[in-house]
Amino acid sequence: MNMMEMGEVVAYLLRYRTAERVPSGGRKRRAAREGQLSERDVCALIDDAQENEREALRDFLAGQGLRLKAFESGDYPGIAPGSRFFALLPDPELEQPPLYTREPVFEALKLRQESRTELALWYLQLWLLLHTLIYTRLNRALSDVSRYQEATFTPRELVELVRDQLETLRGLGDRAPENSRVLLDERGEDIPRRVKAFIDLLARAGHLDMVREAGDEDVWQQTLLGALEAEQIGVHHLTHLIELTSAQEDAASMPRVDLDDEAPDGTEVDGEAPGTVSPAGNEAHSEADLFETDRADTDADESAGESTSDATSQFMDEPGENRR
């Protein structure tokens, strides 16, 4: 992989965030387009890279607060046999720059002449309520990455949850936080329009995918990338939006979302608040490591090894601690 090819690989990953040898869910491989490699070529370049090329790619991504992780078919559901799933993720051990500017959020959610503070409040409300659907409703912790295929919802469910939240806010009357009262000014179809725009934003970011239609409604599912990113960095990527509201924000205006209090089996999991990332499991990684692959168990290791070249597998990390 020369420097030009490395730049093309990074450009592809920044655009799509993931690449798969064998796309899952019936998705077709992404073809080459002007100024961009095909998905097949990206996977081949990563697999065939030499040790010094991998280290150079790791260093290049680290400078942007990112890391590239690789997963085999035995690691998580939904990865096709013989495939490898590459995911570009923020590195919680590095300083976290915003991965996305705030402009797409403002442009997508804007219906009239709302202020940026109001639009940031709408995004944060929608984000928390979505996670109520895909985590709290399922009694699922952030570390339950393997259950991402269960995390389905319809836009109608999110719309109803938003309306319930706003009714709760109305019920507070004068006790409602002043800056949150702007959320009560919705008219007609404002809420469904904002919900649709929010879902489209997360779909563009690779965090949601439409999996099927139920009657006249679309059914959306969290993606493996979205689940991995939630586990890794929680709410850290929302910092640049929270900054707009933190001076006035009152916790009473936000719904309570307990993502990491308890595992589905009733056992305690990490006691840290959502968005807190523990460095455990990363201390053993050497500086030369580029790909960090968690292993579900020894059998998965052996089956994955049959489909992985020796030149690539030597860069895989030790087992992770959060697999379920």
Side-chain angles (χ1 to χ4, degrees):
M1 184 191 304
N2 59 38
M3 294 302 293
M4 178 179 291
E5 290 169 333
M6 184 185 300
E8 291 175 323
V9 167
V10 171
Y12 179 96
L13 292 171
L14 288 174
R15 169 65 179 84
Y16 293 108
R17 305 290 307 285
T18 64
E20 296 179 78
R21 278 184 186 167
V22 182
S24 57
R27 178 178 67 81
K28 294 182 180 180
R29 279 197 185 95
R30 300 179 185 116
R33 49 193 294 185
E34 186 175 355
Q36 182 178 288
L37 295 175
S38 69
E39 187 170 17
R40 185 196 299 270
D41 289 341
V42 167
C43 292
L45 284 168
I46 296 173
D47 283 335
D48 296 341
Q50 301 299 311
E51 179 178 358
N52 63 321
E53 296 168 344
R54 294 172 182 276
E55 186 170 354
L57 179 56
R58 178 190 64 80
D59 290 343
F60 183 82
L61 292 172
Q64 303 173 67
L66 302 168
R67 62 179 169 182
L68 182 62
K69 297 188 72 172
F71 301 94
E72 311 293 342
S73 57
D75 290 335
Y76 287 113
I79 303 178
S83 182
R84 298 187 84 205
F85 179 90
F86 297 103
L88 186 64
L89 295 168
D91 190 334
E93 296 183 350
L94 299 174
E95 183 178 353
Q96 289 294 306
L99 288 186
Y100 311 106
T101 67
R102 295 180 290 193
E103 296 307 318
V105 171
F106 299 144
E107 289 300 319
L109 297 183
K110 188 173 184 178
L111 298 182
R112 285 174 286 278
Q113 297 298 318
E114 301 93 340
S115 68
R116 291 191 168 200
T117 297
E118 181 179 351
L119 295 172
L121 282 167
W122 268 111
Y123 186 91
L124 294 171
Q125 286 279 353
L126 289 165
W127 190 92
L128 287 167
L129 292 170
L130 171 65
H131 283 67
T132 297
L133 291 176
I134 63 178
Y135 285 97
T136 306
R137 184 177 67 170
L138 301 177
N139 193 22
R140 173 184 174 219
L142 284 172
S143 53
D144 292 328
V145 175
S146 294
R147 297 180 62 192
Y148 75 96
Q149 292 175 314
E150 301 174 32
T152 59
F153 68 97
T154 65
R156 175 183 50 80
E157 291 176 291
L158 186 52
V159 167
E160 291 176 355
L161 202 57
V162 173
R163 286 177 172 153
D164 289 345
Q165 174 66 12
L166 295 187
E167 284 305 312
T168 300
L169 193 60
R170 284 192 181 93
L172 293 175
D174 293 340
R175 294 180 292 119
E178 184 176 352
N179 69 329
S180 295
R181 294 174 193 172
V182 296
L183 302 178
L184 303 177
D185 294 335
E186 84 284 351
R187 314 169 192 170
E189 293 298 304
D190 282 3
I191 292 177
R193 290 170 65 189
R194 292 197 203 271
V195 165
K196 181 181 185 304
F198 174 76
I199 291 173
D200 289 344
L201 273 173
L202 293 194
R204 285 165 52 193
H207 285 197
L208 294 177
D209 194 19
M210 191 180 73
V211 289
R212 64 182 182 277
E213 294 182 0
D216 58 350
E217 282 200 288
D218 299 332
V219 177
W220 291 85
Q221 176 194 292
Q222 186 183 39
T223 63
L224 178 53
L225 175 66
L228 287 167
E229 196 157 310
E231 177 199 30
Q232 293 290 316
I233 64 171
V235 298
H236 285 322
H237 70 292
L238 298 176
T239 303
H240 55 299
L241 288 173
I242 295 173
E243 288 173 353
L244 286 177
T245 64
S246 59
Q248 309 170 25
E249 189 175 67
D250 187 318
S253 69
M254 295 295 182
R256 175 172 173 77
V257 185
D258 296 320
L259 303 183
D260 255 12
D261 289 347
E262 188 176 271
D265 60 3
T267 59
E268 287 187 4
V269 293
D270 296 339
E272 300 165 332
T276 304
V277 181
S278 170
N282 292 324
E283 295 173 356
H285 303 339
S286 70
E287 284 299 311
D289 288 335
L290 168 61
F291 304 128
E292 299 175 282
T293 301
D294 298 327
R295 296 290 191 249
D297 49 43
T298 304
D299 292 337
D301 250 350
E302 294 173 354
S303 63
E306 295 174 1
S307 64
T308 307
S309 67
D310 291 339
T312 300
S313 62
Q314 63 180 312
F315 298 102
M316 298 299 121
D317 283 344
E318 290 77 19
E321 298 180 0
N322 292 323
R323 183 62 35 76
R324 296 191 180 271

